[in-house]
């Protein structure tokens, strides 16, 4: 069955520190992979996506993600977080019926 | 800057009342999704349409929820009668055929049923 796992419900990071949010997926074919961010009281905003080609994908707000087929992972990274990065982050995989299969989300807390 | 719009942004109503939420997808997008988000259940897909035809509404409580696309620029989600357990944020998202599944979300309608 298709699924997306974000193993960390919450992550706390100090401002200026590096960040890695984990995402693992289960999907039979070559996946289309997405990261979205949701700031408090807002809708979900696309951070980046992977369809094919270079496995390191650059997104908005200084984020990047790396697709590793052998590990079925698509982890999100940022070298130095800012207080404004505090939000919930969702990983998703594109399914064959136009839907996205969503992870449960990881809430990022920034320590001053 | 093309965006998905949703109205109203906030709605407070009493149990038993009818609630209608509206969504205007991005012009040219032919797939529209309705989601519900709560603290307990997270993000749930309620229904979605492609070229205005419903593809899947299995996530919706059929007895009280209905979703329609009267035309390509308007999607509606109706709850009748509303119940306190329907309190949530309802998101609309749209996607295009050539977008590889990329969905663009509206700002949501925060519904409170008293």
């Amino acid at each position: 069955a298709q699924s997306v796992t974000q193993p960390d419900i919450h992550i706390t990071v100090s401002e200026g520190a590096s960040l890695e949010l984990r995402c693992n997926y289960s999907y039979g074919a070559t996946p289309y992979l997405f990261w979205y961010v949701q700031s408090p009281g807002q809708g979900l905003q696309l951070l980046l996506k992977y369809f094919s080609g270079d496995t390191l994908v650059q997104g908005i707000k200084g984020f990047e993600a790396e697709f590793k087929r052998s590990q079925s992972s698509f982890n999100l990274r940022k070298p130095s977080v800012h207080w404004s990065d505090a939000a919930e982050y969702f990983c998703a995989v594109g399914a064959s019926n136009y839907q996205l299969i969503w992870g449960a989300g990881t809430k990022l807390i920034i320590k001053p | 800057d093309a965006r998905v719009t949703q109205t109203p942004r906030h709605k407070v109503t009493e149990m038993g009342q009818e609630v209608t939420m509206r969504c205007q997808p991005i012009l040219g997008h032919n797939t529209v999704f309705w989601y519900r988000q709560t603290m307990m259940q997270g993000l749930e897909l309620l229904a979605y349409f492609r070229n205005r035809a419903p593809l899947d509404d299995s996530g919706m409580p059929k007895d009280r929820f209905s979703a329609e696309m009267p035309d390509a620029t308007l999607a509606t989600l109706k709850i009748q009668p509303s119940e306190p357990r329907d309190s949530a944020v309802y998101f609309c998202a749209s996607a295009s055929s050539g977008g590889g599944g990329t969905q663009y979300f509206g700002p949501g309608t925060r519904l409170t049923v008293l």
Side-chain angles (χ1 to χ4, degrees):
Chain A
Q2 301 160 357
S3 65
V4 175
T5 302
Q6 294 180 247
D8 303 305
I9 297 174
H10 298 99
I11 278 192
T12 301
V13 176
S14 296
E15 190 169 15
S18 63
L19 170 71
E20 182 168 33
L21 301 182
R22 295 182 291 165
C23 173
N24 292 95
Y25 66 90
S26 172
Y27 190 71
T30 301
Y32 289 178
L33 295 160
F34 304 82
W35 275 100
Y36 284 80
V37 60
Q38 185 180 27
S39 297
Q42 305 294 316
L44 280 74
Q45 181 184 18
L46 179 69
L47 273 179
L48 49 78
K49 58 189 176 185
Y50 171 79
F51 288 171
S52 65
D54 192 345
T55 56
L56 185 63
V57 180
Q58 302 298 319
I60 62 171
K61 306 184 187 222
F63 286 91
E64 66 178 25
E66 186 170 13
F67 169 55
K68 293 185 177 180
R69 184 187 301 275
S70 61
Q71 298 178 20
S72 297
S73 69
F74 189 55
N75 294 349
L76 182 71
R77 301 195 294 248
K78 187 169 184 177
S80 176
V81 297
H82 186 260
W83 64 266
S84 60
D85 294 324
E88 190 155 20
Y89 292 80
F90 292 90
C91 181
V93 62
S96 58
N97 55 358
Y98 316 115
Q99 293 184 43
L100 293 181
I101 308 300
W102 295 91
T106 297
K107 187 162 289 187
L108 175 62
I109 300 163
I110 306 295
K111 281 194 305 186
Chain B
D1 188 22
R3 293 171 186 263
V4 176
T5 59
Q6 290 187 247
T7 57
R9 292 294 311 278
H10 302 272
K11 177 72 176 179
V12 180
T13 191
E14 295 193 345
M15 183 172 63
Q17 297 298 304
E18 178 178 300
V19 175
T20 298
M21 291 169 269
R22 293 177 175 81
C23 167
Q24 183 171 18
I26 292 172
L27 191 64
H29 282 194
N30 64 344
T31 311
V32 174
F33 303 83
W34 281 107
Y35 291 91
R36 177 171 62 185
Q37 187 178 43
T38 62
M39 291 287 290
M40 294 299 295
Q41 300 297 325
L43 194 64
E44 303 173 276
L45 178 66
L46 296 176
Y48 71 107
F49 294 77
R50 187 164 178 88
N51 297 323
R52 295 177 56 201
L55 285 194
D56 187 350
D57 61 2
S58 60
M60 264 187 351
K62 296 292 191 303
D63 55 339
R64 298 183 301 107
F65 284 59
S66 62
E68 295 180 344
M69 278 203 75
D71 62 60
T73 64
L74 177 65
T76 62
L77 180 66
K78 189 174 295 187
I79 308 174
Q80 168 63 18
S82 58
E83 297 181 1
R85 59 180 166 153
D86 301 328
S87 297
V89 181
Y90 291 81
F91 289 105
C92 173
S94 71
S96 66
S97 298
T102 307
Q103 295 182 17
Y104 295 89
F105 280 74
T109 294
R110 181 174 295 275
L111 174 65
T112 303
V113 183
L114 302 174

